[in-house]
Amino acid sequence: MPAMPPPSDIVKVAIEWPGANAQLIEIDQKKPLASIVREVCDGWSLSGSEQFALRYADGPQLYITEQSRCEIKNGTILRLAISPMRAARQLLERIQSHGIDARLEALKELAKLSADPTFAAEFINMEGLATLARLVESGTHFGEMLAFTLTAFLELMDHGIVSWDLISISFIKQIAGYVNQPMVDVSILQRSLAILESMVLNSHSLYQRVAQEITVAQLIAHLQVSNQEIQTYAIALINALFLKTPEDRRQEMASTLAQKHLRGIILNHIIRGNRPVKAEMAHQLYVLQVLTFNLLEERMMTKMDPNDQTQRDIIFELRRIAFDGDNDPSGTEKRKAIYTKDYKMLGFTNPVNPAMDFTQTPPGMLALDNMLYLAKVHQDTYIRIVLENSSREDKHECPFGRSAIELTRMLCDILQVGELPNEGCNDFHPMFFTHERAWEEFFCVCIQLLNKTWKEMRATAEDFNKVMTVVREQITRALAMKPPSLEQLRVKLRSLSYSEILRLRQSERMSQDDFQSPPIIELRERIQPEILELIKQQRLNRLCEGSCFRKLGNRRRQEKFWFCRLSLNHKVLHYGDLDETPQGEVPFELLTDKIPVSDIKAVLTGKDCPHMKEKSALKQNKEVLELAFSILYDPDEALNFVAPNKYEYCIWTDGLSALLGKELGSDLTRSDLDTLMSMEMKLRLLDLENITIPEAPPPVPKEPSTYNFTYNYG
């Protein structure tokens, strides 16, 4: 007779105590934790069980509480330790002792223990934070001792138990002093930058104080060091200051940063530096890119006032540059007729009063700004585009004014001008750091592309929307290649001609018209299950390889990666924390936690996920919602994910669906299914044998799929 499985509320663990043999016990999850600790103490003849607690022996070594005990798994190694209250009291006494060595060891231990929320609550209740603040304010701590003090302070504040508004001015001045000093220990500088960033992001009053204490020049100086971690924290603080600056002063701050050559320093010391840009640095550059482009929002949402003569003068200037209109005829009516004719040749929708073309937002006045920049800075290009189209009489002229306005609207949409940065996104474009007027130059490159595509399509006014659709595809495809400079963007766009776009579209999707006859439909229905099974296997193989995910919520982005992968027999999900993004495969031995697939009850996505229901800034972030998914498993636990991109989201949600025997329904599956079905049907119709499919069919998301399938067609 087979052995009965253990009850779900019984967990088998090992418990260690220094100098003693480990105890192998069964924890009854229905019994109070205090009773279990008492039994463990009795096993080693230790009195005063209320002075002890259980902690994990591996990983962060967190204390186990009544709230967290449900996370204990079979086979976990625990450790008997002094209770959080006792540990907090002892450490508080030791960090105030006179012995320097004893104080240093105490601060070192405190820096490690402060990450534990249970310990943190006890230490803060004993006025421990105030004690640490006084140590910093005294200015008597240096080197390692100060570094451990700042680490502990930051970890304790990160739990959100105490408001940042309680921080004293003298503490702020002391921390700012470490950042403003030209020479300071790297570990102290790193923690000081992180503390100031938290102050700025968490308190408006502290933002104002920090902004007064910190010099932008010194922050930018920290970008010129060789330590990328310091560079990252410095940009993070610049971004935080930028984000919290009142809207009416952001242009002023941007001008200050420009005067200090921020863009050039980032380009030369980071983007083109000797080290590859890591994920966290890429995120901070993305945030800076978004905040910089968001400066355009005010002009984008400003309508033109047709009665404002200053604004109307800009339109006059466009006409003058294009048609050399210095010698205007006398006589109001004659001049008005010529103006109307010229504005029509300039391609405005309303040639009688072109100011009306700029009353729709977006793009508002931003479109006029772009047009004036092109006319003044790239005058030859501007005149060529206008005259080339105004002299045509075959109805194939490209209306410059209308095109420029619609193109500006499109570029604002592509670059999400006005949207807040997305947590976890690393999508920065190096080319935008290569020019002080990157936005305007980007527009100038794209308006030339639009004119070129219009001619290639032999378009007329009725084809305007079709042309804009092709141009959008050309631009987004080119941006996805991450050209390092604006000149490289031109090269990419030249290669993406209209005929090339048509070829790419043809290769990426099956022409429905060619596959509608009954025999073809029958063939498609017969082979579709085979293709779906193949896609399922590919998804499961990718889950076996595993993926790295970022832990969200903790302000410090370093040290919050974790990895998850499926066992080769598809029976267990292994996961665990990592110190940094892995290079290559992560072995199962490093992943200390696991979930049997048989315990998985459901997979949730988007706003239904437990971690998306919590009150946080992430809840309002649409992109994060679209990348979120959760695994619900016995008894009532959830493993929460935010995928790094849409591709990984589709891979994991598809793979988990395959594990649970459910249908695959992501955009990636539909794209891959269409592509592979098209390829196989064409091959079968050609009666080809032993064909190896290329490595990756192009999916809908940006990231390439990974296929290495060999088909044998009979």
Side-chain angles (χ1 to χ4, degrees), residues 441-457:
E441 290 293 321
F442 182 45
F443 168 83
C444 292
V445 171
C446 293
I447 193 70
Q448 293 176 72
L449 166 73
L450 194 157
N451 192 56
K452 171 175 170 285
T453 301
W454 186 282
K455 288 188 289 186
E456 290 174 349
M457 294 178 67

Side-chain angles (χ1 to χ4, degrees), residues 245-305:
T245 299
E247 288 186 18
D248 58 347
R249 290 180 48 211
R250 282 184 190 166
Q251 288 286 0
E252 179 186 337
M253 182 175 180
S255 299
T256 302
L257 294 174
Q259 290 168 10
K260 301 296 182 182
H261 310 293
L262 174 65
R263 180 198 58 78
I265 289 169
I266 288 175
L267 181 66
N268 295 320
H269 290 270
I270 298 174
I271 296 175
R272 294 177 179 171
N274 296 325
R275 294 171 178 79
V277 175
K278 294 182 179 178
E280 169 56 11
M281 175 60 84
H283 172 74
Q284 294 300 340
L285 292 176
Y286 153 78
V287 171
L288 182 59
Q289 173 185 291
V290 170
L291 295 177
T292 302
F293 282 144
N294 281 356
L295 295 172
L296 304 168
E297 184 181 14
E298 183 181 356
R299 293 294 283 173
M300 179 183 79
M301 300 308 294
T302 300
K303 297 180 179 181
M304 187 171 190
D305 181 359

Side-chain angles (χ1 to χ4, degrees), residues 71-115:
E71 298 173 8
I72 302 174
K73 306 291 190 300
N74 279 315
T76 301
I77 301 176
L78 305 179
R79 179 176 297 158
L80 186 67
I82 60 173
S83 68
M85 180 183 292
R86 185 177 167 191
R89 187 180 298 111
Q90 288 182 1
L91 283 175
L92 192 55
E93 292 171 358
R94 287 165 57 195
I95 63 176
Q96 298 177 86
S97 66
H98 296 294
I100 293 178
D101 291 341
R103 197 186 306 171
L104 178 62
E105 281 303 309
L107 286 167
K108 184 177 181 179
E109 189 175 342
L110 177 64
K112 183 179 179 181
L113 266 177
S114 294

Side-chain angles (χ1 to χ4, degrees), residues 671-708:
S671 173
D672 287 351
L673 180 61
D674 281 348
T675 304
L676 290 171
M677 287 283 289
S678 175
M679 295 171 73
E680 173 147 346
M681 289 178 71
K682 288 175 181 177
L683 292 173
R684 290 203 183 189
L685 291 170
L686 291 170
D687 196 28
L688 298 176
E689 295 184 353
N690 297 317
I691 301 298
T692 302
I693 286 188
E695 184 177 341
V700 171
K702 294 178 183 176
E703 290 71 21
S705 197
T706 306
Y707 288 89
N708 289 291

Side-chain angles (χ1 to χ4, degrees), residues 42-58:
D42 290 345
W44 283 311
S45 302
L46 298 172
S47 59
S49 63
E50 66 279 359
Q51 298 291 316
F52 293 91
L54 294 176
R55 291 172 60 185
Y56 287 99
D58 301 317

Side-chain angles (χ1 to χ4, degrees), residues 118-322:
T118 310
F119 169 84
E122 297 290 352
F123 189 79
I124 290 171
N125 284 338
M126 296 176 186
E127 301 296 324
L129 260 176
T131 302
L132 292 181
R134 286 194 297 271
L135 291 177
V136 173
E137 291 166 15
S138 69
T140 58
H141 282 51
F142 305 98
E144 271 193 315
M145 193 172 290
L146 179 58
F148 288 134
T149 304
L150 296 179
T151 301
F153 181 87
L154 191 55
E155 290 284 2
L156 291 166
M157 290 301 296
D158 266 350
H159 293 294
I161 300 171
V162 178
S163 169
W164 281 93
D165 287 313
L166 299 176
I167 303 301
S168 69
I169 293 175
S170 58
F171 182 87
I172 298 170
K173 286 180 174 292
Q174 193 69 38
I175 297 297
Y178 299 136
V179 172
N180 287 331
Q181 288 176 20
M183 295 293 290
V184 69
D185 184 81
V186 168
S187 57
I188 294 171
L189 177 58
Q190 178 204 64
R191 288 155 179 78
S192 298
L193 288 166
I195 289 172
L196 292 175
E197 184 199 357
S198 278
M199 288 180 181
V200 171
L201 292 176
N202 288 287
S203 166
H204 179 68
S205 61
L206 289 190
Y207 150 71
Q208 294 176 314
R209 180 63 62 178
V210 172
Q212 292 171 6
E213 298 292 337
I214 290 295
T215 64
V216 171
Q218 191 56 49
L219 279 182
I220 291 178
H222 292 315
L223 301 180
Q224 300 176 63
V225 301
S226 58
N227 186 321
Q228 190 171 122
E229 201 166 347
I230 294 298
Q231 292 174 322
T232 303
Y233 276 104
I235 291 188
L237 180 52
I238 290 172
N239 285 337
L241 290 167
F242 209 152
L243 188 64
K244 292 298 180 177
T245 299
E247 288 186 18
D248 58 347
R249 290 180 48 211
R250 282 184 190 166
Q251 288 286 0
E252 179 186 337
M253 182 175 180
S255 299
T256 302
L257 294 174
Q259 290 168 10
K260 301 296 182 182
H261 310 293
L262 174 65
R263 180 198 58 78
I265 289 169
I266 288 175
L267 181 66
N268 295 320
H269 290 270
I270 298 174
I271 296 175
R272 294 177 179 171
N274 296 325
R275 294 171 178 79
V277 175
K278 294 182 179 178
E280 169 56 11
M281 175 60 84
H283 172 74
Q284 294 300 340
L285 292 176
Y286 153 78
V287 171
L288 182 59
Q289 173 185 291
V290 170
L291 295 177
T292 302
F293 282 144
N294 281 356
L295 295 172
L296 304 168
E297 184 181 14
E298 183 181 356
R299 293 294 283 173
M300 179 183 79
M301 300 308 294
T302 300
K303 297 180 179 181
M304 187 171 190
D305 181 359
N307 299 316
D308 188 322
Q309 188 58 44
T310 304
Q311 296 179 6
R312 293 172 65 87
D313 285 345
I314 300 175
I315 300 177
F316 293 153
E317 182 69 1
L318 291 175
R319 174 191 165 275
R320 186 196 65 76
I321 294 173

